[in-house]
Amino acid sequence: MSYKILKKEELIPGQTTMLVIDAPQIAQKAKPGNFVMLRVNEHGERIPLTIADCDAKNGTITIIYLVVGKTTAEMNTLKEGDGFADVCGPLGKPTHIEKTGTVVCVGGGTGIAAMHHIAKGHVEAGNRVIAVIGARSKNLLLFCSELSALCPEVRIATDDGTEGHKGFVTEVLQDLLETEDDVAEVVAIGPVPMMEAVCRVTKPFGTKTTVSLNSIMVDGIGMCGACRCTVGGKTLFACVDGPEFDGQKVDFDELKARLRQFTEQEAESTEMFSKECRCHGGE
Ligand SMILES: Cc1cc2nc3c(=O)[nH]c(=O)nc-3n(C[C@H](O)[C@H](O)[C@H](O)COP(=O)(O)OP(=O)(O)OC[C@H]3O[C@@H](n4cnc5c(N)ncnc54)[C@H](O)[C@@H]3O)c2cc1C
Ligand code: FES
């Protein structure tokens, strides 16, 4: 199994990259909501990344990643033709998709990539999908044309007003829920504060709200216990019980605290990687 990079495209220069990877067995089985754990090389750390799209016929999966620390920076040094040491998946429970009517898919930042695969699944199931996507600025928006080709309506929000509504996706969602009376479900994927805010908006409307917990995962297969989260008063593992949960039942305060748990060690690891790079003539 080569896990060769067939295509590499920088979607947002210096920040977000798309890779199409040769992974026929994963592509055969992957469903919206699934993720993979991958390792750049045999000395690397395994990290989880959502499958943003897959093509069973051509045996490829697409991932989109934001460069935030050591492993994603290292991934960015790979070129087309290079391969990953391993890619494990598909992991996590697939998104629950059934024909329900109108589904609003809310995506924030890099979360738009994961939301794209889920929106595609809902469209294929015969649902009317309204996409609401947001980013800080126009140049940071992902998948606008792909979503427009898929969904009858794409609403955009940018913090600085360079495209669409000036403000947050939650304001667009509030407006939508006030004017559309048949929204069966809201799916939100993006930064934890965004998903928490989406749940606050949907609560008074009583709309089913699904969030994808981007919590700390280590092994991604239910063995290490690192991704414990509290949902509806129960302790669950994001990797095997999720990653998607009923947003109204998630303990977001606990989740935010857990996400901050390893900040010091992550910064240390990034610092060491930048020094390693200089040793090998990277600067
Ligand atoms: C199920 C799952 C699916 C995911 N899918 C995607 C995806 O499709 N695309 C993608 O880009 N990322 C995704 N992530 C997040 C991705 O796994 C992390 O960004 C990656 O592990 C960071 O590794 P690193 O070594 O580069 O950075 P680290 O050294 O681990 O982190 C560096 C710094 O960035 C911060 N940070 C880490 N992750 C995030 C984040 N997600 N948002 C904001 N700040 C962060 C840390 O707090 C830290 O301060 C997913 C995570 C999970 C659990
Ligand atoms: S990541 Fe290890 S148990 Fe979920």
Side-chain angles (χ1 to χ4, degrees):
M1 195 62 59
S2 70
Y3 304 117
K4 198 191 265 189
I5 298 169
L6 302 177
K7 186 177 170 200
K8 178 176 181 181
E9 191 181 333
E10 214 176 11
L11 300 183
I12 302 170
Q15 200 228 48
T16 304
T17 307
M18 178 179 85
L19 299 181
V20 178
I21 304 170
D22 182 39
Q25 289 182 349
I26 300 175
Q28 282 297 328
K29 292 190 176 165
K31 296 212 164 49
N34 284 147
F35 64 94
V36 290
M37 296 290 299
L38 57 80
R39 210 158 50 126
V40 177
N41 55 50
E42 61 181 19
H43 307 291
E45 189 182 31
R46 283 190 173 82
I47 64 157
L49 290 170
T50 304
I51 300 170
D53 207 353
C54 78
D55 182 338
K57 200 163 133 259
N58 291 317
T60 61
I61 57 165
T62 302
I63 55 164
I64 294 186
Y65 60 92
L66 177 73
V67 178
V68 292
K70 190 217 165 190
T71 305
T72 43
E74 202 170 12
M75 269 170 75
N76 238 16
T77 64
L78 299 177
K79 301 179 291 299
E80 284 179 7
D82 290 342
F84 286 94
D86 51 65
V87 181
C88 172
L91 297 169
K93 288 206 165 98
T95 308
H96 178 78
I97 295 178
E98 58 178 314
K99 192 159 188 252
T100 47
T102 302
V103 176
V104 179
C105 290
V106 186
T110 320
I112 300 170
M115 193 275 273
H116 166 259
H117 202 193
I118 292 170
K120 194 173 163 187
H122 277 290
V123 169
E124 281 167 4
N127 290 321
R128 171 181 171 237
V129 177
I130 302 175
V132 179
I133 58 172
R136 284 196 310 279
S137 193
K138 183 183 176 174
N139 64 326
L140 300 175
L141 286 164
L142 297 171
F143 277 97
C144 287
S145 52
E146 287 87 346
L147 284 165
S148 300
L150 203 63
C151 311
E153 212 179 314
V154 179
R155 299 204 189 179
I156 294 172
T158 49
D159 295 5
D160 61 3
T162 42
E163 181 87 29
H165 170 79
K166 184 177 191 303
F168 295 140
V169 283
T170 38
E171 292 152 19
V172 176
L173 178 66
Q174 173 85 33
D175 182 51
L176 235 162
L177 292 174
E178 279 166 6
T179 48
E180 297 270 345
D181 50 15
D182 61 345
V183 175
E185 185 180 355
V186 172
V187 182
I189 307 189
V192 170
M194 183 210 91
M195 294 191 290
E196 188 180 17
V198 163
C199 294
R200 272 199 300 272
V201 169
T202 57
K203 194 168 185 185
F205 295 92
T207 315
K208 180 182 174 196
T209 308
T210 304
V211 295
S212 182
L213 295 196
N214 201 3
S215 62
I216 295 168
M217 292 192 193
V218 176
D219 66 351
I221 54 169
M223 299 297 284
C224 69
C227 67
R228 281 190 312 276
C229 50
T230 305
V231 183
K234 284 195 198 139
T235 300
L236 298 177
F237 286 3
C239 66
V240 287
D241 298 313
E244 286 163 30
F245 295 101
D246 178 344
Q248 301 301 349
K249 295 187 177 161
V250 171
D251 183 338
F252 279 104
D253 290 334
E254 180 196 60
L255 180 68
K256 284 183 286 185
R258 288 185 67 79
L259 282 170
R260 286 192 295 269
Q261 208 173 0
F262 298 109
T263 309
E264 227 174 86
Q265 289 87 342
E266 285 156 353
E268 216 173 280
S269 164
T270 309
E271 171 70 16
M272 277 163 69
F273 176 65
S274 62
K275 282 184 185 150
E276 272 170 37
C277 262
R278 281 198 290 276
C279 295
H280 292 88
E283 199 180 84

